[in-house]
Amino acid sequence: MTAKLIDGVAIGKELRGEIKQGVDVLEASGCKPGLAVILVGENPASQTYVKNKEKSSVEAGMKSELIRLPATVSEQELLANVNKLNNDDSIHGILVQLPLPDHIDEDLVIQAIDPSKDVDGFHPQNVGKMMIGQETFLPCTPHGIMEMLKRSGIEIAGKHAVIIGRSNIVGKPMGQLLLQKDATVTYCHSRTKDLPSFTKQADILIVAIGRAKFVTDEHIKDGAVVIDVGMNRDENGKLCGDVDFEKAKKVASAITPVPGGVGPMTITMLLKNTLQSAEMACRKEKSN
Ligand code: GUN
Protein backbone atom coordinates (compact mmCIF):
# COMPACT_ATOMS: atom_id res chain seq x y z
CA MET A 1 0.00 0.00 0.00
CA THR A 2 1.15 3.54 -0.66
CA ALA A 3 -0.49 6.14 1.49
CA LYS A 4 -2.54 9.00 0.12
CA LEU A 5 -0.85 12.33 0.82
CA ILE A 6 -2.79 14.77 3.00
CA ASP A 7 -1.70 18.07 1.48
CA GLY A 8 -1.68 20.83 4.10
CA VAL A 9 -0.50 23.40 1.58
CA ALA A 10 -3.49 22.84 -0.72
CA ILE A 11 -6.04 22.58 2.11
CA GLY A 12 -4.55 25.63 3.82
CA LYS A 13 -4.72 27.62 0.59
CA GLU A 14 -8.37 26.73 0.04
CA LEU A 15 -9.21 27.73 3.60
CA ARG A 16 -7.22 30.97 3.39
CA GLY A 17 -9.25 31.87 0.30
CA GLU A 18 -12.42 31.50 2.38
CA ILE A 19 -10.89 33.53 5.21
CA LYS A 20 -9.87 36.31 2.81
CA GLN A 21 -13.50 36.55 1.63
CA GLY A 22 -14.63 36.88 5.26
CA VAL A 23 -12.01 39.58 5.87
CA ASP A 24 -13.14 41.49 2.76
CA VAL A 25 -16.78 41.41 3.88
CA LEU A 26 -15.83 42.67 7.32
CA GLU A 27 -13.58 45.40 5.96
CA ALA A 28 -16.36 46.57 3.63
CA SER A 29 -18.48 47.10 6.76
CA GLY A 30 -15.70 49.27 8.22
CA CYS A 31 -13.96 46.74 10.43
CA LYS A 32 -10.53 45.41 9.47
CA PRO A 33 -9.34 42.39 11.48
CA GLY A 34 -6.05 43.04 13.30
CA LEU A 35 -3.50 40.56 14.66
CA ALA A 36 -0.66 41.52 17.00
CA VAL A 37 2.29 39.22 17.61
CA ILE A 38 4.78 39.73 20.42
CA LEU A 39 8.20 38.18 19.90
CA VAL A 40 10.63 38.19 22.80
CA GLY A 41 14.30 37.53 22.05
CA GLU A 42 16.02 36.07 19.01
CA ASN A 43 15.09 32.36 19.00
CA PRO A 44 15.59 31.43 15.31
CA ALA A 45 12.62 29.03 15.09
CA SER A 46 10.35 31.62 16.72
CA GLN A 47 11.59 34.30 14.30
CA THR A 48 10.67 32.08 11.34
CA TYR A 49 7.23 31.23 12.77
CA VAL A 50 6.50 34.88 13.49
CA LYS A 51 7.62 36.02 10.04
CA ASN A 52 5.28 33.47 8.45
CA LYS A 53 2.40 34.54 10.68
CA GLU A 54 2.93 38.19 9.75
CA LYS A 55 3.16 37.44 6.01
CA SER A 56 0.03 35.27 6.04
CA SER A 57 -2.06 37.76 7.98
CA VAL A 58 -1.15 40.55 5.55
CA GLU A 59 -1.99 38.28 2.59
CA ALA A 60 -5.37 37.60 4.17
CA GLY A 61 -6.01 41.37 4.21
CA MET A 62 -5.57 41.84 7.95
CA LYS A 63 -3.79 44.52 9.89
CA SER A 64 -0.59 43.02 11.26
CA GLU A 65 1.44 44.38 14.15
CA LEU A 66 4.73 42.87 15.28
CA ILE A 67 6.16 43.87 18.62
CA ARG A 68 9.77 42.81 19.12
CA LEU A 69 11.12 42.90 22.63
CA PRO A 70 14.67 42.07 23.75
CA ALA A 71 15.34 38.78 25.61
CA THR A 72 16.16 40.91 28.64
CA VAL A 73 12.72 42.55 28.80
CA SER A 74 11.18 42.51 32.26
CA GLU A 75 7.99 40.56 32.95
CA GLN A 76 6.35 43.82 33.92
CA GLU A 77 7.19 45.46 30.63
CA LEU A 78 5.94 42.49 28.65
CA LEU A 79 2.68 42.55 30.63
CA ALA A 80 2.36 46.28 29.93
CA ASN A 81 2.62 45.56 26.20
CA VAL A 82 -0.07 42.87 26.43
CA ASN A 83 -2.30 45.24 28.34
CA LYS A 84 -1.90 47.96 25.74
CA LEU A 85 -3.02 45.52 23.03
CA ASN A 86 -5.95 44.38 25.20
CA ASN A 87 -7.18 47.98 25.09
CA ASP A 88 -6.51 48.58 21.40
CA ASP A 89 -9.78 48.32 19.43
CA SER A 90 -7.95 47.80 16.12
CA ILE A 91 -6.43 44.54 17.45
CA HIS A 92 -8.65 41.46 17.61
CA GLY A 93 -6.01 38.79 18.11
CA ILE A 94 -2.98 38.78 20.43
CA LEU A 95 -0.31 36.11 20.22
CA VAL A 96 2.74 35.96 22.44
CA GLN A 97 5.20 33.63 20.74
CA LEU A 98 6.39 30.83 23.03
CA PRO A 99 8.77 29.84 24.51
CA LEU A 100 9.56 32.91 26.61
CA PRO A 101 12.90 33.49 28.38
CA ASP A 102 13.27 31.68 31.72
CA HIS A 103 12.90 34.78 33.89
CA ILE A 104 9.34 35.32 32.61
CA ASP A 105 6.37 33.37 33.95
CA GLU A 106 4.64 32.05 30.82
CA ASP A 107 1.38 31.24 32.62
CA LEU A 108 1.15 34.77 33.97
CA VAL A 109 1.60 36.25 30.49
CA ILE A 110 -1.00 33.95 28.93
CA GLN A 111 -3.46 34.84 31.67
CA ALA A 112 -2.90 38.54 31.04
CA ILE A 113 -4.26 38.27 27.48
CA ASP A 114 -7.90 39.30 27.17
CA PRO A 115 -9.67 35.92 26.61
CA SER A 116 -11.73 37.52 23.82
CA LYS A 117 -8.47 38.24 21.93
CA ASP A 118 -6.70 34.98 22.80
CA VAL A 119 -6.50 33.60 19.24
CA ASP A 120 -4.03 30.91 20.38
CA GLY A 121 -6.71 29.45 22.67
CA PHE A 122 -4.20 29.18 25.53
CA HIS A 123 -5.97 31.24 28.23
CA PRO A 124 -7.30 28.96 31.01
CA GLN A 125 -10.81 30.35 30.45
CA ASN A 126 -10.72 29.29 26.79
CA VAL A 127 -9.10 25.93 27.61
CA GLY A 128 -11.96 25.33 30.06
CA LYS A 129 -14.58 26.26 27.46
CA MET A 130 -12.99 23.91 24.95
CA MET A 131 -13.03 21.07 27.52
CA ILE A 132 -16.79 21.35 27.96
CA GLY A 133 -17.47 21.88 24.27
CA GLN A 134 -18.45 25.56 24.42
CA GLU A 135 -17.67 27.78 21.47
CA THR A 136 -14.28 29.43 21.89
CA PHE A 137 -10.89 29.87 20.19
CA LEU A 138 -9.42 26.43 19.58
CA PRO A 139 -5.62 25.98 19.73
CA CYS A 140 -4.35 26.39 16.16
CA THR A 141 -2.42 23.14 15.60
CA PRO A 142 -5.09 20.66 16.79
CA HIS A 143 -7.79 22.84 15.20
CA GLY A 144 -5.87 22.69 11.90
CA ILE A 145 -5.55 18.93 12.14
CA MET A 146 -9.32 18.56 12.70
CA GLU A 147 -9.95 20.71 9.63
CA MET A 148 -7.49 18.66 7.57
CA LEU A 149 -9.16 15.39 8.60
CA LYS A 150 -12.58 16.84 7.74
CA ARG A 151 -11.54 18.15 4.34
CA SER A 152 -9.83 14.83 3.54
CA GLY A 153 -13.07 12.94 4.23
CA ILE A 154 -11.56 10.99 7.14
CA GLU A 155 -14.18 9.65 9.52
CA ILE A 156 -13.54 10.11 13.24
CA ALA A 157 -16.60 8.75 15.09
CA GLY A 158 -15.92 5.32 16.57
CA LYS A 159 -12.28 5.35 15.49
CA HIS A 160 -9.40 4.74 17.87
CA ALA A 161 -7.20 7.86 17.91
CA VAL A 162 -3.81 7.47 19.56
CA ILE A 163 -1.84 10.62 20.39
CA ILE A 164 1.87 10.58 21.18
CA GLY A 165 2.63 13.74 23.15
CA ARG A 166 0.80 15.53 25.95
CA SER A 167 1.73 19.20 25.60
CA ASN A 168 -0.78 21.95 26.37
CA ILE A 169 -0.31 23.31 22.84
CA VAL A 170 -0.90 20.12 20.86
CA GLY A 171 -1.36 16.73 22.55
CA LYS A 172 -3.87 17.53 25.30
CA PRO A 173 -6.26 19.69 23.22
CA MET A 174 -5.92 17.29 20.27
CA GLY A 175 -7.39 14.49 22.37
CA GLN A 176 -10.29 16.68 23.48
CA LEU A 177 -11.22 17.71 19.95
CA LEU A 178 -11.12 14.11 18.72
CA LEU A 179 -13.18 13.00 21.72
CA GLN A 180 -15.78 15.64 20.90
CA LYS A 181 -16.09 14.05 17.46
CA ASP A 182 -16.68 10.66 19.13
CA ALA A 183 -13.27 9.04 18.74
CA THR A 184 -11.93 6.68 21.39
CA VAL A 185 -8.79 8.44 22.55
CA THR A 186 -5.53 7.11 23.99
CA TYR A 187 -2.70 9.39 25.12
CA CYS A 188 0.90 8.12 25.00
CA HIS A 189 3.97 10.01 26.18
CA SER A 190 7.62 9.70 27.17
CA ARG A 191 6.79 7.43 30.15
CA THR A 192 4.51 5.09 28.19
CA LYS A 193 5.71 1.47 28.37
CA ASP A 194 5.74 -0.52 25.12
CA LEU A 195 4.67 2.36 22.88
CA PRO A 196 4.14 0.23 19.72
CA SER A 197 1.55 -1.92 21.54
CA PHE A 198 -0.62 1.24 21.72
CA THR A 199 0.23 2.91 18.44
CA LYS A 200 -0.40 -0.34 16.53
CA GLN A 201 -4.04 -0.09 17.63
CA ALA A 202 -4.51 3.38 16.17
CA ASP A 203 -6.89 4.05 13.30
CA ILE A 204 -5.70 7.66 13.55
CA LEU A 205 -2.19 8.25 14.88
CA ILE A 206 -1.15 11.78 15.87
CA VAL A 207 2.56 12.21 16.50
CA ALA A 208 3.79 15.27 18.43
CA ILE A 209 6.97 14.37 20.27
CA GLY A 210 9.77 16.42 18.69
CA ARG A 211 12.09 13.54 17.75
CA ALA A 212 13.20 13.24 14.13
CA LYS A 213 11.80 10.19 12.27
CA PHE A 214 10.98 8.42 15.56
CA VAL A 215 7.82 6.67 14.37
CA THR A 216 8.31 3.96 11.74
CA ASP A 217 6.20 1.30 10.02
CA GLU A 218 6.74 -0.82 13.16
CA HIS A 219 4.46 1.55 15.09
CA ILE A 220 1.68 1.75 12.52
CA LYS A 221 -1.32 -0.48 11.81
CA ASP A 222 -2.06 -1.29 8.16
CA GLY A 223 -4.37 1.37 6.76
CA ALA A 224 -3.98 3.88 9.62
CA VAL A 225 -4.13 7.65 9.09
CA VAL A 226 -0.88 9.25 10.28
CA ILE A 227 -0.61 12.92 11.23
CA ASP A 228 2.91 14.22 11.83
CA VAL A 229 3.17 17.37 13.96
CA GLY A 230 6.99 17.21 14.20
CA MET A 231 9.33 19.85 12.82
CA ASN A 232 12.93 18.68 13.12
CA ARG A 233 16.20 18.62 11.20
CA ASP A 234 17.53 15.24 10.10
CA GLU A 235 21.21 14.18 10.05
CA ASN A 236 21.71 16.17 6.82
CA GLY A 237 20.09 19.29 8.20
CA LYS A 238 16.95 18.72 6.13
CA LEU A 239 13.52 19.52 7.58
CA CYS A 240 11.71 16.37 8.70
CA GLY A 241 8.89 15.25 10.96
CA ASP A 242 8.59 12.89 13.93
CA VAL A 243 7.55 10.16 11.50
CA ASP A 244 9.89 8.33 9.13
CA PHE A 245 7.83 9.23 6.07
CA GLU A 246 9.36 6.70 3.65
CA LYS A 247 8.74 3.78 6.00
CA ALA A 248 5.34 4.95 7.23
CA LYS A 249 3.82 5.57 3.81
CA LYS A 250 4.13 1.85 3.01
CA VAL A 251 1.60 0.90 5.70
CA ALA A 252 -0.54 4.00 6.28
CA SER A 253 -3.64 4.73 4.19
CA ALA A 254 -3.09 8.49 4.45
CA ILE A 255 -0.23 10.60 5.82
CA THR A 256 0.81 14.24 6.21
CA PRO A 257 4.27 15.22 4.88
CA VAL A 258 6.78 17.49 6.61
CA PRO A 259 7.09 20.17 5.39
CA GLY A 260 3.71 20.82 3.78
CA GLY A 261 1.39 19.04 6.20
CA VAL A 262 0.34 20.34 9.61
CA GLY A 263 2.53 23.49 9.53
CA PRO A 264 0.58 25.49 6.94
CA MET A 265 -2.67 24.54 8.68
CA THR A 266 -1.54 25.94 12.05
CA ILE A 267 -1.03 29.42 10.60
CA THR A 268 -4.29 29.20 8.67
CA MET A 269 -6.24 28.49 11.86
CA LEU A 270 -4.62 31.48 13.55
CA LEU A 271 -6.08 33.63 10.76
CA LYS A 272 -9.44 31.89 11.13
CA ASN A 273 -9.47 32.58 14.88
CA THR A 274 -8.52 36.22 14.29
CA LEU A 275 -11.34 36.61 11.78
CA GLN A 276 -13.75 34.97 14.25
CA SER A 277 -12.61 37.38 16.96
CA ALA A 278 -13.00 40.42 14.69
CA GLU A 279 -16.48 39.28 13.60
CA MET A 280 -17.58 39.03 17.22
CA ALA A 281 -16.03 42.37 18.22
CA CYS A 282 -17.47 44.22 15.23
CA ARG A 283 -20.93 42.72 15.71
CA LYS A 284 -20.83 43.85 19.33
CA GLU A 285 -19.71 47.34 18.36
CA LYS A 286 -22.57 47.66 15.87
CA SER A 287 -25.21 46.59 18.38
CA ASN A 288 -24.03 49.24 20.90
N1 GUN B 1 5.28 28.25 19.87
C1 GUN B 1 5.15 27.09 19.18
N2 GUN B 1 3.88 26.95 18.75
C2 GUN B 1 3.20 28.04 19.17
C3 GUN B 1 1.86 28.46 19.03
O1 GUN B 1 0.99 27.80 18.43
N3 GUN B 1 1.56 29.65 19.60
C4 GUN B 1 2.47 30.39 20.28
N4 GUN B 1 2.07 31.53 20.83
N5 GUN B 1 3.72 30.03 20.44
C5 GUN B 1 4.08 28.85 19.89
Side-chain angles (χ1 to χ4, degrees), residues 49 53 95-98 120 122 169 266:
Y49 290 143
K53 284 167 184 171
L95 181 147
V96 180
Q97 187 65 29
L98 304 178
D120 256 330
F122 291 169
I169 295 182
T266 296

Side-chain angles (χ1 to χ4, degrees), residues 22-272:
V23 171
D24 290 346
V25 168
L26 213 54
E27 195 174 6
S29 75
C31 178
K32 188 179 171 102
L35 172 68
V37 175
I38 301 182
L39 174 62
V40 180
E42 313 273 329
N43 179 319
S46 291
Q47 299 214 37
T48 306
Y49 290 143
V50 164
K51 210 169 4 155
N52 288 338
K53 284 167 184 171
E54 199 183 14
K55 181 168 165 266
S56 306
S57 57
V58 170
E59 277 169 10
M62 297 181 180
K63 171 184 161 161
S64 173
E65 193 172 326
L66 172 61
I67 295 161
R68 283 174 172 276
L69 299 170
T72 52
V73 71
S74 69
E75 192 174 85
Q76 200 185 4
E77 200 179 325
L78 174 55
L79 290 172
N81 274 277
V82 170
N83 204 35
K84 194 160 157 240
L85 295 168
N86 283 342
N87 294 311
D88 182 341
D89 287 343
S90 73
I91 295 297
H92 306 96
I94 303 171
L95 181 147
V96 180
Q97 187 65 29
L98 304 178
L100 290 170
D102 288 345
H103 68 279
I104 294 174
D105 180 346
E106 226 161 71
D107 289 341
L108 199 69
V109 175
I110 290 170
Q111 284 174 52
I113 298 171
D114 180 338
S116 74
K117 296 188 179 188
D118 168 39
V119 285
D120 256 330
F122 291 169
H123 191 287
Q125 189 175 306
N126 290 328
V127 177
K129 282 185 171 182
M130 180 203 62
M131 281 288 291
I132 55 174
Q134 286 184 4
E135 194 181 338
T136 184
F137 300 116
L138 301 177
C140 300
T141 299
H143 193 189
I145 292 171
M146 293 305 285
E147 197 63 40
M148 224 167 20
L149 293 173
K150 188 165 129 191
R151 289 181 187 234
S152 305
I154 292 162
E155 230 182 278
I156 296 172
K159 295 288 161 64
H160 187 188
V162 176
I163 299 157
I164 324 180
R166 53 175 160 177
S167 70
N168 290 338
I169 295 182
V170 183
K172 278 185 209 158
M174 188 75 252
Q176 278 305 314
L177 298 184
L178 287 162
L179 181 64
Q180 278 165 19
K181 294 293 178 196
D182 301 316
T184 301
V185 176
T186 300
Y187 287 99
C188 299
H189 46 79
S190 53
R191 303 294 294 270
T192 297
K193 293 198 169 79
D194 192 7
L195 182 68
S197 72
F198 293 99
T199 58
K200 274 270 189 193
Q201 295 177 43
D203 301 310
I204 300 171
L205 180 62
I206 315 273
V207 190
I209 42 180
R211 291 174 69 175
K213 300 185 187 176
F214 179 81
V215 166
T216 69
D217 49 334
E218 314 234 314
H219 294 84
I220 301 168
K221 181 169 84 172
D222 265 352
V225 173
V226 178
I227 307 290
D228 188 351
V229 187
M231 187 67 83
N232 316 290
R233 298 270 166 196
D234 69 9
E235 59 282 6
N236 303 315
K238 212 173 131 218
L239 216 52
C240 72
D242 291 346
V243 176
D244 188 324
F245 184 82
E246 292 306 319
K247 288 182 179 160
K249 76 175 186 196
K250 291 186 206 145
V251 285
S253 64
I255 186 167
T256 59
V258 177
V262 174
M265 291 303 293
T266 296
I267 296 186
T268 304
M269 300 326 275
L270 175 68
L271 301 179
K272 193 167 162 63

